Amino acid sequence: MATRRIRARRGDGALLRDEILCAAEQLLVETGTEDALTLRAVAGRAGVSTPSVYLHFADKEALVEAVCLRVWDELGALFAEAAASCDDPFLALGRCGRAYARFALDHPVQYRVLMMRPSTGEDAAAACLRHMVGAVAACVETGVLRGEPEKLALALWSAVHGCVSLFIAQPSFPWPDDREALIDTVVRAAGFGGAMYSRLPRDLPPSAELAEELDEFGARVTTRTRARAKR
Amino acid sequence: MATRRIRARRGDGALLRDEILCAAEQLLVETGTEDALTLRAVAGRAGVSTPSVYLHFADKEALVEAVCLRVWDELGALFAEAAASCDDPFLALGRCGRAYARFALDHPVQYRVLMMRPSTGEDAAAACLRHMVGAVAACVETGVLRGEPEKLALALWSAVHGCVSLFIAQPSFPWPDDREALIDTVVRAAGFGGAMYSRLPRDLPPSAELAEELDEFGARVTTRTRARAKR
DNA sequence: TCGTCAACTTGACGGCGTCAACCTAGAAGC
DNA sequence: GCTTCTAGGTTGACGCCGTCAAGTTGACGA
């Protein structure tokens, strides 16, 4: 902790950058909050004086953002894995949504800092949306989703981001026991919603009538699915 | 600003509480960020010394929460208005969703502070969910939605919260021009998704097959709606 | 008129982000 | 081997922050 770092050799000044990032990440994960991420604490853990941080980061904000961005590569890998895990693009989309949620809940502090604050995380958000658009586009291509992929992706992204961000930001809220199941519900509902919204007219039939149609549709798909399963 | 406040009379000490809240709310709205809400600035605007704030608020966090909670009554009124504006519960649910989004975007700072931070806003979140459950329950009663109202409400809430929280937290993101339209998409998709998710089997048919079913369903509802419109 | 106590103020403390000025070790030139 | 120079840091200070213990003030009841 308080052990002074041996000064880097000439030309290796950038080594400190990585050590600072590691120290900051440790602090963030250990304490579970970015409030513990003071420049003094980070520098102390890196075995370096406080202003040395400014040799590699413009200000505290830049350090925090850089730390949180470190985990963002994982998201790309998780998405790729989820997308490749299954031939059917609609099922793959669902897995992507679940993978996204897992990623966010695995890195709650980083997710909150980058996604729930103004003036940070624009790049991270762009990456999220880009991945979403990719998974959605495959569904549009096969016709199960209809509409502009951007718009659809934003709607799906909103749903899953909303769910996990509530979990993260309101940890003491009496959520249902099985969060996994709730995420599943949200992802499925968002997917179905995306499939429906551009197929239904703007002027909806009255609820009772719509309910009947929905019942009928649901029953037909269910029986056909069961029949196929028996084959 | 720097004009000293005339000391309240005996028994009227609580008057200061309201004046502090007003000063803080002004600062919050004027600057657009809670970072400007320092105790010194608030006390100064209220014409009072800094530690006087502690006569009415346990700490800064309590002050900030109290300030942000001030606008939350509006949400109840907006929900009630949206729910009463239309007989059909499913349409009313959509209007509730849009009202929720409007509320959040009208009070971005308050919404962010209470909903996107840990250890604050539990009551606010509970209020949001409660209103949602009310609007959803009416839909479940008429059969257009199916399933547990709590679960459904959480899914719908997630979707609209996700959308507005992204808008609020990422103001510099290149969002589509018409945010209103995007909110509309999200609300509609979430509503349809909620209607579908418990009607469809867990094992979905392959995408291509599902796409056909969806097309057929959409076409039937559309033609029937048009026919009804001509009548 | 006077004591009392509610309604504040004073002054200080430690911690924070940030910055200008200073040091210092090790590679380069002679 | 000695000097010089500069990359790679450190020192010490500034102003702002939230918070608190102790002091002050002035309206009201007796």
Side-chain angles (χ1 to χ4, degrees):
Chain A
M1 312 290 164
T3 60
R4 275 268 264 276
R5 194 181 88 108
I6 1 99
R7 186 224 268 278
R9 298 206 300 198
R10 277 209 169 187
D12 290 346
L15 286 180
L16 181 54
R17 190 191 149 90
D18 241 16
E19 297 180 28
I20 290 175
L21 281 175
C22 286
E25 189 167 34
Q26 280 179 31
L27 265 170
L28 208 60
V29 172
E30 282 174 18
T31 64
T33 165
E34 72 269 30
D35 295 341
L37 211 69
T38 69
L39 289 184
R40 283 168 167 84
V42 170
R45 182 167 288 226
V48 121
S49 77
T50 308
S52 292
V53 176
Y54 287 92
L55 296 173
H56 297 284
F57 302 95
D59 52 12
K60 190 196 176 178
E61 197 62 33
L63 166 64
V64 172
E65 179 161 6
V67 170
C68 294
L69 271 174
R70 281 191 124 200
V71 296
W72 234 252
D73 291 338
E74 256 182 59
L75 183 58
L78 284 172
F79 252 91
E81 188 186 327
S85 72
C86 143
D87 286 344
D88 192 288
F90 198 57
L91 287 180
L93 179 62
R95 296 197 183 179
C96 286
R98 277 176 278 266
Y100 184 94
R102 203 180 321 120
F103 165 77
L105 295 176
D106 279 347
H107 309 291
V109 197
Q110 291 93 331
Y111 191 84
R112 180 157 42 73
V113 169
L114 287 185
M115 302 291 286
M116 311 189 203
R117 282 179 158 204
S119 67
T120 350
E122 198 174 335
D123 296 346
C128 292
L129 181 56
R130 190 158 19 86
H131 291 132
M132 277 289 182
V133 171
V136 164
C139 292
V140 173
E141 227 163 280
T142 64
V144 60
L145 291 190
R146 269 197 186 178
E148 315 161 36
E150 273 266 333
K151 214 171 177 182
L152 282 162
L154 277 166
L156 299 181
W157 183 31
S158 287
V160 58
H161 163 74
C163 186
V164 297
S165 71
L166 284 172
F167 285 165
I168 291 172
Q170 308 285 342
S172 57
F173 192 85
W175 299 113
D177 289 338
D178 193 351
R179 295 190 183 191
E180 205 73 45
L182 184 52
I183 290 170
D184 199 74
T185 301
V186 166
V187 169
R188 277 173 55 90
F192 293 150
M196 296 301 318
Y197 96 97
S198 62
R199 285 181 161 100
L200 291 182
R202 298 225 104 253
D203 293 323
L204 288 177
S207 285
E209 200 170 310
L210 183 60
E212 269 182 49
E213 301 274 8
L214 287 164
D215 283 341
E216 198 181 319
F217 173 69
R220 187 170 58 248
V221 173
T222 304
T223 54
R224 289 203 190 174
T225 305
R226 284 205 188 124
R228 192 163 20 77
K230 280 194 180 170
R231 253 187 282 137
Chain B
M1 311 295 157
T3 62
R4 275 269 262 278
R5 193 180 89 109
I6 2 98
R7 187 221 268 272
R9 298 204 302 196
R10 275 208 170 185
D12 290 348
L15 286 180
L16 181 55
R17 189 190 149 90
D18 242 17
E19 297 180 27
I20 289 175
L21 281 175
C22 287
E25 189 168 33
Q26 280 179 29
L27 265 170
L28 207 60
V29 173
E30 282 174 16
T31 64
T33 165
E34 70 271 27
D35 295 341
L37 212 68
T38 70
L39 290 184
R40 283 167 167 84
V42 170
R45 182 167 289 227
V48 123
S49 78
T50 308
S52 291
V53 176
Y54 287 91
L55 297 173
H56 297 283
F57 301 95
D59 53 13
K60 190 196 174 175
E61 197 62 34
L63 167 63
V64 172
E65 180 161 6
V67 169
C68 293
L69 271 175
R70 281 191 123 200
V71 297
W72 233 252
D73 292 337
E74 255 182 60
L75 183 59
L78 285 172
F79 253 91
E81 188 187 326
S85 72
C86 138
D87 286 342
D88 193 289
F90 198 57
L91 287 180
L93 179 63
R95 296 196 185 179
C96 286
R98 276 175 279 265
Y100 184 94
R102 205 179 321 121
F103 166 76
L105 296 176
D106 278 348
H107 310 289
V109 196
Q110 289 94 330
Y111 191 83
R112 180 156 41 74
V113 168
L114 286 185
M115 302 292 286
M116 310 189 202
R117 280 177 160 205
S119 67
T120 352
E122 198 174 335
D123 296 346
C128 292
L129 181 56
R130 188 157 23 83
H131 291 132
M132 277 289 183
V133 171
V136 164
C139 292
V140 173
E141 227 163 281
T142 64
V144 61
L145 291 191
R146 270 196 185 179
E148 315 161 38
E150 273 265 334
K151 213 171 177 182
L152 282 163
L154 277 165
L156 299 182
W157 183 30
S158 286
V160 57
H161 163 75
C163 186
V164 297
S165 71
L166 284 172
F167 284 165
I168 291 172
Q170 308 285 342
S172 57
F173 192 85
W175 300 111
D177 290 338
D178 193 351
R179 294 192 183 189
E180 205 74 44
L182 184 51
I183 290 170
D184 199 74
T185 301
V186 167
V187 169
R188 278 173 57 91
F192 294 148
M196 298 299 320
Y197 95 99
S198 63
R199 285 181 161 102
L200 292 182
R202 296 224 106 257
D203 293 324
L204 287 176
S207 284
E209 201 170 308
L210 183 60
E212 269 181 47
E213 301 274 8
L214 287 165
D215 283 342
E216 199 180 316
F217 173 68
R220 187 168 59 248
V221 173
T222 303
T223 55
R224 289 203 190 175
T225 305
R226 283 204 189 127
R228 192 166 20 74
K230 281 196 177 170
R231 253 188 282 138

